[in-house]
Amino acid sequence: MSKKDPRNMIGYGAKDKKIKWPNNAKIAVQIVLNYEEGAENCVLNGDKHSEVFLSEIIGAQPVRGRHINMESLYEYGSRRGFWRLHKIFKEKKIPVTIFGVGMALAKNPQACKALMSSNYEVASHGWRWIDYQNIKKSEEKKHMKMAIETHKKIFGKRPLGWYTGRCSPNTRDLVFEDGGFLYDSDSYSDDLPYWETRKNKQQLIIPYTLDNNDMRFATNQGFNTGDHFYSYLKDSFDALYEEGKTNPKMMSVGLHCRIIGKPGRVQALKKFIDYIKKHKDVWICKRVDIAKHWIKNYSK
């Protein structure tokens, strides 16, 4: 690592990292539900064009006007998908982390009320569900503040986790500058949390996933059926569970209300939850639980 090339290509390296999860679990399984509906690109939100990402219209092109089909596909997530998933998590008593986009949460008070009355963590997924790659740092900083303030207004406290998703080269800097997040999940680089240090400041990074993720139902070379999704999740779990006999790891699962919330896909999620609950020594938890455990036991 250097100023010219700050990337860390080694990580824990050949030694791996010996850790212990609570109750000596072999694996920590963490389920994320992304709540983005209503904060996507839309001319009603002041954007120049419609959304093109993560819908049933794979390869969608931007429309400089209202794209009614795209709008309604996103609306499915808030109107129906969220409630279907919420019911499953409640019935199966699964703690989950919500990656909640500020603008989207503000548009659905009923969903927010359900979140507050459940064993969920609501982490911040930014103010908008848009691509920040080419947005000015000052604007992105403004959006981060808006997301935090909206979160406080709705839930009475600031978020402890951050995940932009479609982040920029400035996002991690802004998380450091804010200083109030226990963890940042804008990384996919490991199966364990790790610390990043800048100018004597430390930030815990809890990597997320784009492969154990229902988004692949809406991408090229993705999942075509629920069975594909279940098989991939099961294989990932089995591999990490086996490794966990000597070197416990973390498994993230990424979900979206408008994607896995469809009837033809949700059965795969239910099967996977039932499968992992049959195993011993599995810690099903929230991301903030992992953060607090790591900060207590593996701080630098």
Side-chain angles (χ1 to χ4, degrees):
M1 296 176 65
S2 65
K3 290 184 178 180
K4 186 177 180 180
D5 185 359
R7 297 173 66 194
N8 183 343
M9 308 300 292
I10 299 173
Y12 294 119
K15 292 183 179 180
D16 210 337
K17 185 174 180 66
K18 296 288 185 179
I19 69 161
K20 286 187 177 181
W21 294 128
N23 299 316
N24 290 316
K26 294 183 176 70
I27 183 174
V29 179
Q30 203 293 296
I31 295 176
V32 166
L33 177 61
N34 291 270
Y35 191 88
E36 301 158 346
E37 288 77 8
E40 75 279 7
N41 282 290
C42 178
V43 295
L44 298 178
N45 291 335
D47 301 304
K48 294 180 180 179
H49 57 77
S50 62
E51 185 57 69
V52 298
F53 193 48
L54 292 190
S55 80
E56 303 298 327
I57 310 173
I58 299 175
Q61 297 301 305
V63 172
R64 293 188 176 277
R66 292 192 65 186
H67 191 324
I68 302 301
N69 289 346
M70 183 64 73
E71 289 177 21
S72 63
L73 286 168
Y74 266 75
E75 288 160 15
Y76 187 93
S78 61
R79 292 166 59 103
R80 179 45 41 207
F82 170 79
W83 298 106
R84 179 171 287 124
L85 296 165
H86 176 59
K87 184 173 184 288
I88 291 170
F89 296 140
K90 296 282 279 188
E91 289 177 347
K92 296 185 180 296
K93 298 180 180 179
I94 297 294
V96 301
T97 290
I98 307 296
F99 280 171
V101 180
M103 180 184 282
L105 292 171
K107 292 181 177 181
N108 196 337
Q110 287 190 26
C112 291
K113 185 177 180 180
L115 296 178
M116 286 187 278
S117 64
S118 305
N119 186 23
Y120 299 157
E121 171 206 2
V122 185
S124 183
H125 194 3
W127 170 241
R128 295 290 314 279
W129 174 231
I130 57 177
D131 190 348
Y132 283 88
Q133 180 68 32
N134 297 312
I135 289 180
K136 291 181 180 180
K137 184 177 180 180
S138 59
E139 184 71 8
E140 187 175 356
K141 183 176 183 177
K142 178 182 176 182
H143 279 205
M144 181 177 284
K145 288 185 176 181
M146 291 172 69
I148 294 170
E149 289 306 311
T150 299
H151 198 100
K152 288 179 181 178
K153 183 176 180 180
I154 295 173
F155 301 106
K157 56 186 177 180
R158 67 160 292 145
L160 297 179
W162 180 268
Y163 175 72
T164 298
R166 292 190 271 182
C167 61
S168 81
N170 298 314
T171 306
R172 182 66 45 80
D173 292 334
L174 292 172
V175 170
F176 266 90
E177 288 175 20
D178 176 78
F181 294 106
L182 290 188
Y183 70 89
D184 176 351
S185 285
D186 274 313
S187 173
Y188 313 97
S189 62
D190 213 305
D191 294 314
L192 284 175
Y194 60 90
W195 291 95
E196 187 167 316
T197 304
R198 296 184 185 180
K199 297 179 181 179
N200 297 320
K201 285 186 177 182
Q202 291 185 324
Q203 178 63 58
L204 181 63
I205 312 300
I206 302 183
Y208 186 44
T209 178
L210 294 185
D211 65 309
N212 293 318
N213 195 311
D214 69 356
M215 67 176 286
R216 293 183 59 199
F217 280 111
T219 62
N220 292 323
Q221 199 275 308
F223 303 124
N224 292 323
T225 69
D227 286 341
H228 290 169
F229 187 46
Y230 170 73
S231 179
Y232 194 91
L233 293 183
K234 178 180 179 297
D235 285 350
S236 296
F237 174 86
D238 289 346
L240 292 170
Y241 190 80
E242 180 68 23
E243 289 181 18
K245 293 177 181 179
T246 54
N247 294 89
K249 297 292 191 301
M250 173 185 75
M251 177 181 177
S252 296
V253 178
L255 306 174
H256 297 76
C257 301
R258 64 190 176 279
I259 300 178
I260 197 66
K262 293 291 176 66
R265 297 170 182 151
V266 76
Q267 293 299 100
L269 174 63
K270 291 161 68 174
K271 283 174 58 179
F272 177 69
I273 292 173
D274 291 341
Y275 178 74
I276 64 175
K277 289 183 75 173
K278 292 178 182 178
H279 289 69
K280 295 180 179 179
D281 303 323
V282 175
W283 183 32
I284 304 175
C285 57
K286 294 169 284 191
R287 287 179 103 70
V288 71
D289 299 329
I290 293 174
K292 290 178 178 178
H293 178 79
W294 205 268
I295 290 168
K296 179 180 179 180
N297 295 284
Y298 304 107
S299 293
K300 285 191 175 181

